[in-house]
């Protein structure tokens, strides 16, 4: 899943980006409200983590502008403020959730995963494809009775395929959601991770659809 962090406290933003990248997310970071609005409007993000006190344009206005333009991306607001009126204002502008600084990183990740599950229309963190089970909350994968150890990037690639099991997922879609905006390396990196997944899950698990992408088959 691809996330955008809009946060002007650079040390916090970098820390969050590193942690969320380790969790398997692709993360982009900007430090200005106007740039955040532009990036969120143009990019295919699965969720935006949005600070309220920002230079250029505050988080309330960024959120309101996105909703007015018809963007439905989940928005988790962060602020150093507290109090029910600040929370109400954030939610009234269209935010999906609200977290007051200082916050627990574990709680932040849990809120992000809950919003992503809600967006996907499923209250369960477990994705099942035949005998394959992915617990997206615990970050664990089982094939039948056996647990399969995956790296964060392998998990993220498999998650993209599992969420659209039976459908063809293009290499560009996987790159867009698993690698961040700044990635300018070889797009064939996707093939490297697909090959690794095939070694761990079985060669028949992921079918290549020539010229189109990959499809996860039920095992």
């Amino acid at each position: 899943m691809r996330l955008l962090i809009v946060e002007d406290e650079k040390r916090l933003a970098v820390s969050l980006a590193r942690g969320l990248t380790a969790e398997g997310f692709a993360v982009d970071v900007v430090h200005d409200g106007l740039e955040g609005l532009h990036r969120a409007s143009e990019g295919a993000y699965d969720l935006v983590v949005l600070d309220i006190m920002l230079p250029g344009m505050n988080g309330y206005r960024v959120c309101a502008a996105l909703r007015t333009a018809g963007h439905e991306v989940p928005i988790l607001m962060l602020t150093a403020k507290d109090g029910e009126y600040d929370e109400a204002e954030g939610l009234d502008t269209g935010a999906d959730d609200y977290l007051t600084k200082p916050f627990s990183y574990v709680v932040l990740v849990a809120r992000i995963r809950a919003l992503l599950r809600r967006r996907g229309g499923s209250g369960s963190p477990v994705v099942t494809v035949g005998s394959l089970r992915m617990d997206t909350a615990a970050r664990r994968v089982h094939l039948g009775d056996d647990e399969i150890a995956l790296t964060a990037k392998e998990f993220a690639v498999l998650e993209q395929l599992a969420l659209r099991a039976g459908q063809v997922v293009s290499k560009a879609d996987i790159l867009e959601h698993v690698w961040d905006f700044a990635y300018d390396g070889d797009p064939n990196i996707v093939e490297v991770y697909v090959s690794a997944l095939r070694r761990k899950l079985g060669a028949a698990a992921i079918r290549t659809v020539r010229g189109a992408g990959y499809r996860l088959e039920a095992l």
Side-chain angles (χ1 to χ4, degrees), residues 2-219:
R2 189 174 173 193
L3 311 182
L4 174 65
I5 297 175
V6 189
E7 168 61 69
D8 66 329
E9 293 182 40
K10 294 185 178 180
R11 290 180 63 183
L12 174 60
V14 170
S15 176
L16 291 178
R18 286 176 178 167
L20 291 168
T21 298
E23 295 282 344
F25 295 106
V27 183
D28 296 329
V29 177
V30 296
H31 306 293
D32 176 271
L34 287 171
E35 177 64 18
L37 176 60
H38 172 74
R39 191 70 69 84
S41 299
E42 299 296 325
Y45 292 102
D46 296 289
L47 184 139
V48 176
V49 178
L50 177 64
D51 188 31
I52 290 179
M53 304 302 290
L54 293 166
M57 177 184 283
N58 70 40
Y60 294 133
R61 293 176 60 199
V62 172
C63 183
L66 287 171
R67 296 305 188 228
T68 299
H71 296 287
E72 298 181 352
V73 59
I75 295 174
L76 173 61
M77 276 193 164
L78 302 180
T79 182
K81 293 182 175 183
D82 57 12
E84 61 183 11
Y85 294 108
D86 296 317
E87 180 174 356
E89 185 174 355
L91 297 175
D92 284 345
T93 58
D96 297 275
D97 204 351
Y98 183 100
L99 204 54
T100 302
K101 301 175 186 176
F103 52 81
S104 160
Y105 174 74
V106 173
V107 171
L108 173 72
V109 173
R111 296 279 187 91
I112 287 173
R113 295 201 186 284
L115 287 174
L116 291 172
R117 289 197 301 273
R118 192 184 309 165
R119 188 189 191 198
S122 172
S124 171
V126 179
V127 179
T128 302
V129 183
S131 58
L132 177 73
R133 288 179 294 111
M134 293 190 72
D135 188 329
T136 59
R139 314 300 285 174
R140 300 177 70 178
V141 175
H142 287 83
L143 185 59
D145 295 328
D146 298 323
E147 183 168 358
I148 309 298
L150 300 181
T151 67
K153 275 288 190 285
E154 288 170 351
F155 190 98
V157 172
L158 182 60
E159 185 176 23
Q160 288 300 307
L161 296 170
L163 290 172
R164 288 178 278 179
Q167 303 175 32
V168 176
V169 183
S170 71
K171 185 185 297 184
D173 279 345
I174 295 173
L175 273 173
E176 189 171 76
H177 288 85
V178 177
W179 279 266
D180 61 31
F181 183 80
Y183 180 78
D184 60 358
D186 188 346
N188 290 327
I189 188 69
V190 175
E191 296 177 11
V192 174
Y193 281 90
V194 168
S195 295
L197 288 170
R198 283 173 171 153
R199 288 195 298 271
K200 293 182 177 183
L201 301 177
I206 303 173
R207 184 181 299 277
T208 298
V209 181
R210 192 173 299 277
Y214 304 99
R215 183 173 60 234
L216 180 65
E217 305 280 1
L219 297 174

